[in-house]
Amino acid sequence: MSTTTYLVIAAAVLVFIVIFQIAKASEYVSVLKGEDHSRKQNNRINGFMLLGFMILGFIGVWYCNKLLYKTTLFPQGSASVEGEKIDEMFMITTAVTGIIFVITQFLLFYFAWKYQEKEGQKAFFFPHNNKLELIWTVIPAIFLTVLVVFGLKFWFRITSDAPKGALEVEIVGKQFGWIMRYPGKDKNFGRTYFRVISDENNNSLGQVWENNDSLRLTADPANYDDVVTTTTMYVVKDRAVKLIINSRDVIHDVGLNHFRLKMDAVPGIPTTLWFTPKYTTKEMKERTGNPDFVYEISCDQMCGNGHYSMRGIVEVVTQEEFDVWMAKQKPNYYVAKPEKDPSAAPAVADTTAKPAAIAAVVKK
Amino acid sequence: MSSEATHIQQQTLTVPHETHVEIHHDHHHETFLTKYVFSQDHKTIAKQFLITGMFWALIGGLFSVIFRLQLGFPEAKFPWMEILLGEWAKGGQLQAEAYYALVTMHGTVLVFFVLTAGLSGTFANFLIPLQVGARDMASPFLNMLSYWFFFTASIVMLSSLFVQTGPFSGGWTAYPPLSALGEASPGSKVGMDLWLISMSLFVVSSLLGGLNYIATILNMRTKGMSMTRLPLTIWALFFTAVLGVLSFPVLFSGFILLIFDRHFGTSFYLSDIYINGQALPNEGGSAILYQHLFWFLGHPEVYIILLPAMGMASEILSVNSRKPIFGYMAMVGSLFAITILAFLVWAHHMFVTGLNPFLGAFFVLLTLLIAVPSAIKVFNWLTTLWKGNIRFTPGMLFAMGFVSLFISGGLTGIFLGNSSLDIHLHDTYFVVAHFHIVMGVASMFGMFAGIYHWYPKMYSRYLNNTLGYIHFWVTMIGAYLIFWPMHYEGLAGMPRRYYKFDIWESFKHFGTLNQFISIVSIIVFLAQILFLVNFFYSIWKGRKVTTQNPWGANTLEWTTPITPGHGNWSGEIPEVHRWAYDYGKDGKEFITQVTPVDDSESKH
C-alpha cells in the first residue's frame, strides 16, 4: 500500500516537472520565433480546441444521459399522485432550459471559433442595438412566466390542505432516527410536551398521560390509545396520508424521494405534508425489478455526525394489511405502563426491544 | 488655460495628498514593514488579499480532495491520511466527525475567504483606483485595516482546526439548534465559538473594504470619468460593495443572537429541545429566524461572489474580442436589477422549512425574475464575441469558460427556484452541482481570468502561457466532468452531506460514479497546484512586460508606468474623454479613454 502511494506521488511529481519544463521551453521558443508568431499559433490551436470541446461536450451530455438516466427515479415514475406533477414540471423545465442551453453554448463556442483572430479581419464596431436587447428581455420573460404559472399551480396543489379522511401520522426526528405516532381509535393525537420526554420510561415523545403539578399539566386521555413506533412508517396505498412533522432536538428533514417530497422537521414548529401513495412496497419491488426495494426516508437536513445514518422506511400496504398490522400494535401508554393494560397479556415480547433500541441511538 | 487650472484644482480637492506623493517618492524611505506588511498602497493590499485567498483556496481544495476520497472510496484505507489527520483518520479511514468538519470548512473557506475576500478583496482593491483614476482608496488606512481584520479572521478560523473537539462541523450555513448546542455535535463546542469570532471579524473586514470601495468609486473618479464612462468591472465591484454593506450586518445580527443563545441563556432560536437525555430550558424561540437572517446575507452573498466575475469577464471579453462590450447600459442595468432582486429572494432557500406557501409564491416569482437580467447578460456577451477578432489569451479563455459555466449553472437555478421542483431537489446533489457550477467554478473562472489578465500590471511580468492553457483546459473539462453527472445523483434524490451511502438502498448504486468524480477532482486539484507554481515562479522569473499596454486595452490602468509606484501615475492623473469600449471604432484597433474625442469621429 505505502509503496504504491510513494510511486503515485513520485509519478505525479515527475509529470509536474515535465509539464513545467515543457512550458518553460515553449516560452523560450516563442521568444525566439517571435511572440506574434507564437501568439497566432496558440490562437489557432485554442480556437480549434474550443470547437472540439463543444462537439465532444454535446456528445458527452448525450452519453451521460444515456448512461445515468436509468439511475434516477424517473424510469420508475413517481410513487405518489402528487409527485407526478413534480415530474411533469421537471420535464417542462428541462425542455425549456435544454433548448436555451444548446443554443447559447453553441453560439458561444461557434462564435469563438468563427471569429478567432485572422490576418486582415476587422472587428465589427457594434456597441448596442435596442431592438435586439428588447427581444432577449421579452423572450426569456415569456418563458419564465410559463414556468412560474405551471410551477405555482403545482405548488399550491401540493401545499393545499390534505383531503378529508386522510390517514394522519406524526413523524418526529431525533439524532439519529425517526419516531412515528398514530392517533389510535379516537383519531386524535394526545397532547405532548417536551419536558416529560423520557426514553427510559418509554415516553419518547413526551405524551402527557398523567398529571404533573410542577409543570401544570393535566393528563390528556387522547394519549391512551396513541400508537408509537420507530423507523418504519405504515401507510396505505391510494389513501392520502398527512404527516405531522416534528423534531425533538435539531432540524431534520423528512425526505421522501420516491414520492418526490420533503419537509423540514423543526423543533418547536410543527410542519405538515401530505401525499397519496400509488404503489405498495410489494408492487414497487416488481416495478423496479429490485427484490430489496424499500421506500426510504432520508434525513435531508444536516443534523450532526450521524446525519448519513438517519434512515427511516415507509411501508406502503393495502388497507386490509394496514388494519391487520394496526390491530397488532399496542398503544404506547400500555407499553410504558403494563399495569394499566386492561388486556394485561403476559407476553409483550415484540415491544421490549423498543426502549433498548432508542437508548442505543441516544447514546450514540 | 482656465480649464487646465480648474483641472488641477479639482484634483487637489479630491485627492489632497496628490502632490505629496511625488515628493515623498524621492526621499521618503519605506521600510520593509510599511511597504510589504502594513502597506497602505491599494495594489499591495490587493496582492495580500490574493495570496491569502490562494492559501485558503489550497486548504479548502485539499479538504475537498480528502472528503472526496471518502465519498469515492469509502472502504479504502489511506495510511498517509492518518499521518496527516491523526485521530480524524483512525486506521487510514476518515471518521464521520472529520468528514463533516472538512465539508463545513470547505464551504466556509471557499465562500467567504476565497470567493469573497480573495476575489472581490483582490480586484476591488487593485482595479478601483487604477480604473477610476485615483491615487489610492478613499481611506488607505481603513483599507489596510480591512485586510488585517481578514487576516485575523483567517488566523482564528485556522486555529479552530486544531482544537480538541474539532472545528465547527454543522455545514457552512450553521443552522441552529445544531450550531447552538454543544451537546448536539462536538464541532458545536469551542470550534463553533471560534467560527463565530472569525466570521464576525470577517464581517468587519468586508464592511471596511466595502465602504471604502463605494466612497472611492463615487468620489474619486478622475476628471471626465462620469459614472457612465466607468468600465463594467467598476460597476460590478460597486454593486458588489453595496450588496455587502447592506447585507453583512444582517448576518452579523444573526451571529450575535446565536452567541447569546449559546452562552447567555437566551432563546432566540431554541425551543422544545430534548437532547442527551435532558430537556433544555429554552422555549418560544424560532430556529427558522436564523435562516431568514442568514439567507438575507446568504443569497446576496452569491452575487457578491458572482458580480465581480461578471464585471471582469465583460471587460476581458471586450478587450480580447477587439470589440466594444455589447449593450453597455443594458449590462449596467442588469447588474442593478440583479442587485435589487438579490435582496428579495432569500426565502427560496427555505421552501421546505414550512414556509407559508402563499409567501413562497412571491419568492418563486422574484427568483425566476433574476433569470431575465441574467439572460440579457449572456446574450450581450455572446453578441460581444460575434464578428469580433478574438485573441485567446488564457484570461480570455477563462472569461469564456465563465460564460459557459454561468449558462449551465444558471439554467439549473431555474429548476431550484421553482418551489414545486425544489420540494424534490432541495438538499440533494442537484443543488451541490448547481451552486458549484454557477457560483463556485464560474466565479473561480472569473477570478482566474482576472489574474491572467491583470498579472502583467500586478507584477510587471507575464504568467507562463503554456501552463495557463493547460490550467484552463484541465479545469474546464474537469469541472464539467465533476459536476455534470452530479445532477443525476440529485435526480435520484441522493442527499448532500452524507458521509457514506452503504446502508441506503436508494443511493448505493452510485459507487462507480462517485469514484469517477473523486478521481477527476483530484486531477483538477493538481492542475490548480500547477497554476500556483506558475503564479509564484512568474513573480520573479516570468517574462518581463516591456510595453505599457500589452493587451491594447482602453482602460486607465494601462496608462500607468509598467511598474506603478504608490500613487499610480508618476505625473498628473490623466483626464478621461470617452467610455472604455472604443475598440474597432472608425477602423482604429483601440482608442484609450484618455484620447480626446476627435471631431471627425463617428457617433454611436
Side-chain angles (χ1 to χ4, degrees), chain A residues 1 5 16 19-20 23-24 26-27 31 35 39 42-43 46-47 49-50 53 61 64-65 68 71-74 86 89-90 93-94 97 101 104-105 108-109 111-112 115-118 121-129 133 136-137 140 144 147-148 151-152 155-156 158-159 175 193-195 197-199 248-251 253 257-258 260-264 266-269 271 290 292 296-305 307-311, chain B residues 77 80 96-97 100 169-170 175-178 184 186 271-274 280-283 286 291 322-327 330 351-354 357 361 365 368 371-372 375-376 379-380 382-383 385-392 397 400 404 407-408 411 414-415 418-421 423-424 426-427 464 466-467 469-470 473 476-477 480 484-485 488 491-493 495 497-499 503-507 509-510 526 529-530 533 537 543 582-585 604:
Chain A
M1 183 66 210
T5 316
F16 250 75
I19 292 175
F20 190 70
K24 245 170 72 180
S26 73
E27 192 165 58
V31 172
E35 297 192 10
R39 186 168 63 81
N42 278 336
N43 231 51
N46 280 295
M49 284 184 74
L50 285 166
F53 177 80
V61 167
C64 182
N65 187 59
L68 295 177
T71 65
T72 68
L73 291 167
F74 295 117
I86 289 174
M89 188 68 223
F90 185 86
T93 313
T94 307
T97 54
F101 174 81
T104 48
Q105 297 281 7
L108 173 68
F109 290 101
F111 285 169
Y115 299 109
Q116 60 179 294
E117 186 181 36
K118 279 184 217 94
Q121 178 177 270
K122 281 253 180 280
F124 174 48
F125 185 77
F126 189 47
H128 68 102
N129 181 321
E133 285 162 74
W136 53 63
T137 311
L144 289 167
L147 293 180
V148 168
L152 290 183
W155 166 248
F156 283 123
I158 292 162
T159 55
Q175 287 182 326
Y193 187 52
F194 76 106
R195 287 190 203 284
I197 291 175
S198 167
D199 287 330
R248 246 173 52 164
D249 37 44
V250 301
I251 301 177
D253 184 285
N257 296 303
H258 300 96
R260 310 287 192 268
L261 294 169
K262 75 174 54 87
M263 184 55 77
D264 278 359
V266 186
I269 307 174
T271 55
N290 177 5
D292 299 327
E296 283 172 319
I297 306 173
S298 53
C299 179
D300 283 345
Q301 185 61 260
M302 176 68 200
C303 63
N305 290 341
H307 175 49
Y308 66 96
S309 60
M310 194 163 156
R311 178 172 180 259
Chain B
K77 289 186 166 56
W80 58 268
E97 55 169 309
Y100 286 115
S169 57
Y175 284 177
L178 182 61
S271 187
D272 296 43
I273 291 165
Y274 177 87
L280 299 186
N282 313 70
E283 266 184 89
S286 161
Q291 297 187 19
R322 314 309 291 149
K323 249 187 101 211
I325 189 80
F326 181 77
F351 285 142
V352 299
T353 55
L365 188 67
L368 293 202
V372 174
I376 294 173
F379 286 115
N380 283 5
L382 294 179
T383 317
L385 293 176
W386 179 67
K387 285 198 172 184
N389 193 26
I390 306 169
R391 300 180 313 200
F392 300 118
L397 288 176
M400 287 178 42
S404 171
I407 294 170
S408 304
L411 288 173
I414 294 176
F415 291 76
N418 211 333
S419 53
S420 49
L421 277 179
I423 304 177
H424 178 38
H426 191 87
D427 269 331
N464 183 303
T466 312
L467 286 180
Y469 290 131
I470 295 172
W473 283 109
M476 179 79 173
I477 295 166
Y480 271 112
W484 193 269
Y488 288 85
L491 295 179
R497 294 169 175 154
Y498 268 27
Y499 166 63
I503 59 165
W504 296 88
E505 196 54 44
S506 318
F507 317 122
H509 56 290
F510 282 113
L526 292 177
I529 293 183
L530 205 62
V533 171
Y537 178 85
R543 195 158 44 95
D582 273 341
Y583 293 101
K585 192 186 183 194
H604 60 80

Side-chain angles (χ1 to χ4, degrees), chain A residues 121-323:
Chain A
Q121 178 177 270
K122 281 253 180 280
F124 174 48
F125 185 77
F126 189 47
H128 68 102
N129 181 321
N130 290 341
K131 205 164 144 197
L132 273 181
E133 285 162 74
L134 198 67
I135 288 172
W136 53 63
T137 311
V138 172
I139 290 178
I142 293 170
F143 271 120
L144 289 167
T145 313
V146 173
L147 293 180
V148 168
V149 167
F150 275 103
L152 290 183
K153 205 177 107 195
F154 297 151
W155 166 248
F156 283 123
R157 189 176 306 175
I158 292 162
T159 55
S160 62
D161 287 335
K164 284 219 163 67
L167 172 70
E168 290 198 357
V169 186
E170 184 184 37
I171 174 165
V172 178
K174 68 175 169 78
Q175 287 182 326
F176 299 96
W178 299 100
I179 307 167
M180 286 82 174
R181 179 160 72 134
Y182 301 81
K185 287 194 191 79
D186 65 354
K187 304 224 161 102
N188 267 324
F189 289 104
R191 199 190 150 199
T192 57
Y193 187 52
F194 76 106
R195 287 190 203 284
V196 293
I197 291 175
S198 167
D199 287 330
E200 300 81 52
N201 299 325
N202 226 334
N203 191 0
S204 57
L205 295 177
Q207 288 171 279
V208 182
W209 54 40
E210 50 196 7
N211 294 335
N212 184 324
D213 291 337
S214 64
L215 294 171
R216 278 187 262 167
L217 297 172
T218 31
D220 182 355
N223 266 317
Y224 296 150
D225 64 347
D226 289 1
V227 170
V228 175
T229 65
T230 57
T231 311
T232 306
M233 171 163 60
Y234 280 79
V235 298
V236 179
K237 180 190 165 180
D238 291 333
R239 179 174 169 197
V241 50
K242 179 184 176 184
L243 302 185
I244 296 147
I245 302 164
N246 249 311
S247 168
R248 246 173 52 164
D249 37 44
V250 301
I251 301 177
H252 301 278
D253 184 285
V254 182
L256 301 164
N257 296 303
H258 300 96
F259 307 107
R260 310 287 192 268
L261 294 169
K262 75 174 54 87
M263 184 55 77
D264 278 359
V266 186
I269 307 174
T271 55
T272 61
L273 179 71
W274 69 271
F275 61 99
T276 319
K278 275 169 69 184
Y279 310 108
T280 63
T281 304
K282 243 182 249 152
E283 284 168 347
M284 273 311 264
K285 284 185 210 274
E286 278 160 36
R287 282 178 63 83
T288 57
N290 177 5
D292 299 327
F293 176 87
V294 275
Y295 290 113
E296 283 172 319
I297 306 173
S298 53
C299 179
D300 283 345
Q301 185 61 260
M302 176 68 200
C303 63
N305 290 341
H307 175 49
Y308 66 96
S309 60
M310 194 163 156
R311 178 172 180 259
I313 288 169
V314 180
E315 195 74 35
V316 182
V317 293
T318 59
Q319 185 69 49
E320 297 80 58
E321 286 169 316
F322 181 81
D323 293 339

Side-chain angles (χ1 to χ4, degrees), chain B residues 439-575:
Chain B
M439 179 180 82
V441 189
S443 304
M444 242 9 202
F445 269 48
M447 186 164 165
F448 286 134
I451 293 173
Y452 280 99
H453 190 76
W454 280 288
Y455 195 87
K457 193 78 256 165
M458 286 182 177
Y459 293 103
S460 315
R461 286 172 191 270
Y462 293 100
L463 285 162
N464 183 303
N465 262 338
T466 312
L467 286 180
Y469 290 131
I470 295 172
H471 177 215
F472 169 74
W473 283 109
V474 174
T475 315
M476 179 79 173
I477 295 166
Y480 271 112
L481 287 182
I482 293 169
F483 296 113
W484 193 269
M486 236 182 229
H487 291 100
Y488 288 85
E489 299 186 325
L491 295 179
M494 193 166 115
R496 56 196 285 215
R497 294 169 175 154
Y498 268 27
Y499 166 63
K500 53 182 168 187
F501 296 92
D502 52 355
I503 59 165
W504 296 88
E505 196 54 44
S506 318
F507 317 122
K508 66 181 183 190
H509 56 290
F510 282 113
T512 330
L513 180 58
N514 279 332
Q515 260 172 38
F516 172 78
I517 292 173
S518 296
I519 292 168
V520 179
S521 62
I522 291 167
I523 294 171
V524 172
F525 179 72
L526 292 177
Q528 310 315 306
I529 293 183
L530 205 62
F531 163 73
L532 288 180
V533 171
N534 190 10
F535 184 92
F536 287 104
Y537 178 85
S538 301
I539 291 180
W540 291 283
K541 300 276 183 160
R543 195 158 44 95
K544 275 194 180 136
V545 176
T546 49
T547 52
Q548 207 179 6
N549 191 356
W551 310 125
N554 288 344
T555 38
L556 282 181
E557 74 271 29
W558 305 107
T559 63
T560 60
I562 290 173
T563 312
H566 193 175
N568 298 338
W569 285 270
S570 41
E572 253 177 49
I573 301 180
E575 184 181 342

Side-chain angles (χ1 to χ4, degrees), chain B residues 306-334:
Chain B
L306 202 58
L307 289 187
M310 284 178 166
M312 291 193 290
S314 305
E315 172 71 17
I316 293 165
L317 284 171
S318 169
V319 171
N320 289 294
S321 303
R322 314 309 291 149
K323 249 187 101 211
I325 189 80
F326 181 77
Y328 174 86
M329 285 314 282
M331 289 304 241
V332 176
S334 54

Side-chain angles (χ1 to χ4, degrees), chain B residues 117-440:
Chain B
L119 176 56
S120 80
T122 301
F123 288 100
N125 268 305
F126 192 75
L127 293 177
I128 290 173
L130 281 172
Q131 289 196 333
V132 305
R135 298 273 179 217
D136 206 314
M137 284 288 177
S139 170
F141 179 72
L142 288 187
N143 208 27
M144 177 185 79
L145 275 188
S146 158
Y147 173 73
W148 287 103
F149 267 101
F150 169 48
F151 185 83
T152 320
S154 294
I155 297 287
V156 175
M157 191 63 84
L158 200 62
S159 69
S160 82
L161 297 175
F162 298 97
V163 298
Q164 199 213 344
T165 47
F168 179 54
S169 57
W172 76 280
T173 52
Y175 284 177
L178 182 61
S179 63
L181 304 172
E183 300 95 314
S185 160
S188 301
K189 291 182 172 136
V190 67
M192 183 57 190
D193 288 321
L194 292 169
W195 191 91
L196 281 168
I197 294 168
S198 169
M199 285 305 301
S200 304
L201 290 168
F202 184 83
V203 170
V204 175
S205 154
S206 109
L207 287 178
L208 289 175
L211 290 170
N212 231 334
Y213 307 151
I214 295 171
T216 311
I217 293 169
L218 291 181
N219 296 323
M220 296 181 62
R221 300 188 309 277
T222 184
K223 190 181 180 202
M225 182 65 95
S226 60
M227 288 300 274
T228 49
R229 282 180 182 170
L230 286 173
L232 285 171
T233 30
I234 301 303
W235 271 111
L237 291 166
F238 175 70
F239 286 125
T240 305
V242 171
L243 279 170
V245 165
L246 294 180
S247 63
F248 266 113
V250 179
L251 177 75
F252 191 65
S253 69
F255 286 164
I256 298 281
L257 301 189
L258 186 52
I259 291 170
F260 269 73
D261 271 7
R262 287 173 59 78
H263 295 294
F264 307 119
T266 55
S267 305
F268 291 110
Y269 305 135
L270 305 177
S271 187
D272 296 43
I273 291 165
Y274 177 87
I275 200 161
N276 267 3
Q278 249 185 337
L280 299 186
N282 313 70
E283 266 184 89
S286 161
I288 303 300
L289 170 64
Y290 174 87
Q291 297 187 19
H292 282 292
L293 296 174
F294 180 86
W295 288 113
F296 195 83
L297 162 92
H299 199 78
E301 173 66 23
V302 172
Y303 295 100
I304 290 175
I305 287 171
L306 202 58
L307 289 187
M310 284 178 166
M312 291 193 290
S314 305
E315 172 71 17
I316 293 165
L317 284 171
S318 169
V319 171
N320 289 294
S321 303
R322 314 309 291 149
K323 249 187 101 211
I325 189 80
F326 181 77
Y328 174 86
M329 285 314 282
M331 289 304 241
V332 176
S334 54
L335 283 176
F336 179 68
I338 290 174
T339 306
I340 298 292
L341 288 172
F343 284 114
L344 303 173
V345 297
W346 77 91
H348 69 211
H349 298 269
M350 300 164 60
F351 285 142
V352 299
T353 55
L355 184 79
N356 182 325
F358 185 65
L359 190 62
F362 289 96
F363 283 98
V364 172
L365 188 67
L366 291 163
T367 302
L368 293 202
L369 213 53
I370 292 193
V372 174
S374 307
I376 294 173
K377 296 199 85 72
V378 167
F379 286 115
N380 283 5
W381 284 322
L382 294 179
T383 317
T384 304
L385 293 176
W386 179 67
K387 285 198 172 184
N389 193 26
I390 306 169
R391 300 180 313 200
F392 300 118
T393 61
M396 178 63 173
L397 288 176
F398 273 106
M400 287 178 42
F402 166 82
V403 176
S404 171
L405 289 158
F406 179 69
I407 294 170
S408 304
L411 288 173
T412 50
I414 294 176
F415 291 76
L416 293 167
N418 211 333
S419 53
S420 49
L421 277 179
D422 186 64
I423 304 177
H424 178 38
L425 299 173
H426 191 87
D427 269 331
T428 65
Y429 267 77
F430 193 91
V431 178
V432 177
H434 159 71
F435 75 75
H436 272 93
I437 291 182
V438 78
M439 179 180 82

